[in-house]
Amino acid sequence: MSKTFLPLRELKPGMRIAETILNDYGSIVISEGTILDDHMIKKLVNLKYGEVRVIERDQNFVVSEISESFNASYNSSVNSFKSVLYDAAIGKNINMEKVDKVVTSVVARLNEKRDIVRCINQIKSADQYTYTHCVNVSLLCMLLGKWMGFSKDKLLMLVQAGLLHDIGKSKVPREILNKPSTLTPEEYEEIKKHTIYGYRILEKEHEVDQEVRIAVLMHHEKIDGSGYPTGAKGDKINMMARVIAVADIYDAMTSNRVYREKESPFEVFHIMEEESVGKLDVAVVNAFLNNIAAYYIGDFAKLNTGEICEIVYINPRHVSRPIIKVDDRYIDLMEERELKILEIL
Ligand SMILES: [Fe+2]
């Protein structure tokens, strides 16, 4: 492996970036060690970089293969989790071997953060929602745990808890779970019980850590005590449950886009910043927003004025209102409130 400067036209997916690339605002566009994919190469071309220092890898190593392998393992995780849920629904013991296999394959993706972010943002089909949601939450938990500095053991537990968080839904009647119209108060009470059902299902599984069971029980608790099933507040809520809550809400929010107009990730960040106050753990939300938003530096986006902009800087305190560049002007969206990012290009 050698480090070389290459002009843009010679960049290929699979090459590893040897030096962090900054934009003229000083924000990181691509960090050292990142493996190039088509999206990043397009970004560099748009940004008109002259040449880039890369480490060349084995000739046949291309990123599209990583993405395909990511998709394949994602789909197989979703399928095997489908059968775990089925077992739980018919009262059989859950197949912990299958659960552990999915957990291992999720954790193996630790270094493919971009694939995860992209995969989770894809619009999901509504009928697959339950299974994909569980796998997505476990992937998001893995990212969050990593960003928050969880130890390897805790990370494995967190990923397992994320995967199993809604296992209790297998005990909630389908008619209620899939009801398209508003739930009656009784039906809502029944849905809420999935937390307790989940705890009970896992109680039968001796190899599951008690902390995982508690996390599953508490994943709908809210910081201000307005959650369920116990109404616990603040740090009385299990830490892993607070992480799952953020992953759960983010995935639910991006999945709902199936039914309404597609929203830009920045709109979703805005909703999280606004609506999470008092409900979600601020430290978890911040870890999430700051890390996930960094993937959009250097991306081009369309504004509500029709203009095209480049995202140049993301303020950690206002992730949803970045500094953008339109032609040669820098615009702080914190100040220009009427401007909105409609879509990432
Ligand atoms: Fe839930």
Side-chain angles (χ1 to χ4, degrees):
M1 293 208 290
S2 59
K3 287 186 183 181
T4 36
F5 279 102
L6 284 183
L8 285 185
R9 62 176 185 283
E10 285 175 33
L11 292 183
K12 287 196 183 64
M15 289 173 175
R16 192 182 285 269
I17 292 289
E19 272 173 6
T20 296
I21 299 172
L22 301 173
N23 64 15
D24 47 10
Y25 206 84
S27 304
I28 296 175
V29 177
I30 299 178
S31 36
E32 181 188 335
T34 304
I35 297 173
L36 283 176
D37 62 15
D38 292 330
H39 176 79
M40 283 181 259
I41 294 175
K42 203 176 110 201
K43 202 177 217 179
L44 292 171
V45 171
N46 286 336
L47 291 168
K48 301 191 179 65
Y49 273 89
E51 47 180 23
V52 169
R53 194 163 197 190
V54 294
I55 303 171
E56 288 191 78
R57 309 222 352 165
D58 327 335
Q59 305 77 5
N60 298 323
F61 187 88
V62 288
V63 158
S64 59
E65 282 175 18
I66 293 183
S67 297
E68 270 164 36
S69 103
F70 181 88
N71 275 338
S73 101
Y74 178 83
N75 290 334
S76 98
S77 290
V78 169
N79 280 328
S80 56
F81 198 65
K82 212 186 254 187
S83 71
V84 171
L85 282 180
Y86 181 75
D87 287 344
I90 59 170
K92 268 176 54 180
N93 272 29
I94 54 177
N95 185 335
M96 284 308 290
E97 214 174 293
K98 269 192 186 157
V99 170
D100 289 341
K101 256 195 180 159
V102 177
V103 169
T104 312
S105 89
V106 165
V107 174
R109 302 285 150 181
L110 203 57
N111 294 320
E112 291 162 44
K113 301 192 183 73
R114 173 162 285 282
D115 276 337
I116 297 175
V117 172
R118 205 164 33 189
C119 185
I120 287 170
N121 283 337
Q122 274 168 8
I123 293 177
K124 297 135 226 171
S125 68
D127 56 327
Q128 287 278 334
Y129 179 72
T130 320
Y131 325 111
T132 51
H133 176 66
C134 295
V135 174
N136 288 350
V137 168
S138 75
L139 281 164
L140 286 166
C141 280
M142 194 260 288
L143 290 182
L144 271 163
K146 176 84 179 147
W147 290 331
M148 295 181 73
F150 276 44
S151 68
K152 184 85 202 256
D153 287 351
K154 284 265 175 204
L155 196 67
L156 281 170
M157 266 202 248
L158 175 65
V159 170
Q160 192 189 54
L163 186 65
L164 295 169
H165 78 287
D166 268 349
I167 187 101
K169 283 203 176 152
S170 59
K171 293 284 176 203
V172 176
R174 265 170 181 260
E175 315 80 76
I176 301 181
L177 224 42
N178 299 332
K179 193 178 168 189
S181 49
T182 321
L183 297 170
T184 65
E186 296 74 28
E187 287 166 336
Y188 186 51
E189 286 308 310
E190 185 57 35
I191 294 245
K192 282 177 169 177
K193 285 188 194 154
H194 78 276
T195 49
I196 298 166
Y197 295 150
Y199 181 87
R200 291 208 191 119
I201 290 169
L202 298 181
E203 235 177 0
K204 291 190 282 177
E205 306 300 332
H206 300 297
E207 60 214 90
V208 173
D209 196 281
Q210 179 63 4
E211 217 191 318
V212 172
R213 296 187 192 120
I214 298 285
V216 169
L217 180 72
M218 298 187 105
H219 76 273
H220 283 287
E221 301 290 2
K222 303 275 184 252
I223 297 298
D224 60 5
S226 63
Y228 60 85
T230 68
K233 281 186 186 173
D235 56 13
K236 294 275 182 294
I237 306 167
N238 172 282
M239 184 64 211
M240 293 201 295
R242 284 182 264 156
V243 176
I244 296 171
V246 172
D248 190 13
I249 284 170
Y250 181 76
D251 188 60
M253 209 141 58
T254 47
S255 301
N256 282 340
R257 292 190 308 196
V258 177
Y259 311 105
R260 49 190 161 101
E261 209 163 317
K262 194 176 157 204
E263 291 190 53
S264 85
F266 286 88
E267 194 52 34
V268 176
F269 300 155
H270 173 69
I271 298 170
M272 287 194 86
E273 283 172 338
E274 297 280 300
E275 291 185 6
S276 65
V277 181
K279 305 287 180 205
L280 298 171
D281 185 323
V282 181
V284 182
V285 173
N286 286 342
F288 182 70
L289 291 180
N290 293 337
N291 283 287
I292 213 160
Y295 286 91
Y296 296 97
I297 298 269
D299 272 357
F300 284 76
K302 197 166 150 194
L303 296 172
N304 53 342
T305 54
E307 288 168 301
I308 304 296
C309 70
E310 179 197 335
I311 294 160
V312 292
Y313 176 75
I314 292 172
N315 182 340
R317 293 174 63 186
H318 305 286
V319 168
S320 64
R321 310 287 297 166
I323 292 178
I324 57 169
K325 192 177 171 188
V326 179
D327 301 324
D328 280 332
R329 284 179 302 136
Y330 288 101
I331 301 169
D332 186 347
L333 292 184
M334 273 308 281
E335 277 153 29
E336 304 286 332
R337 290 292 186 157
E338 70 287 358
L339 286 182
K340 240 178 117 172
I341 294 171
L342 286 191
E343 63 175 313
I344 304 288
L345 301 174

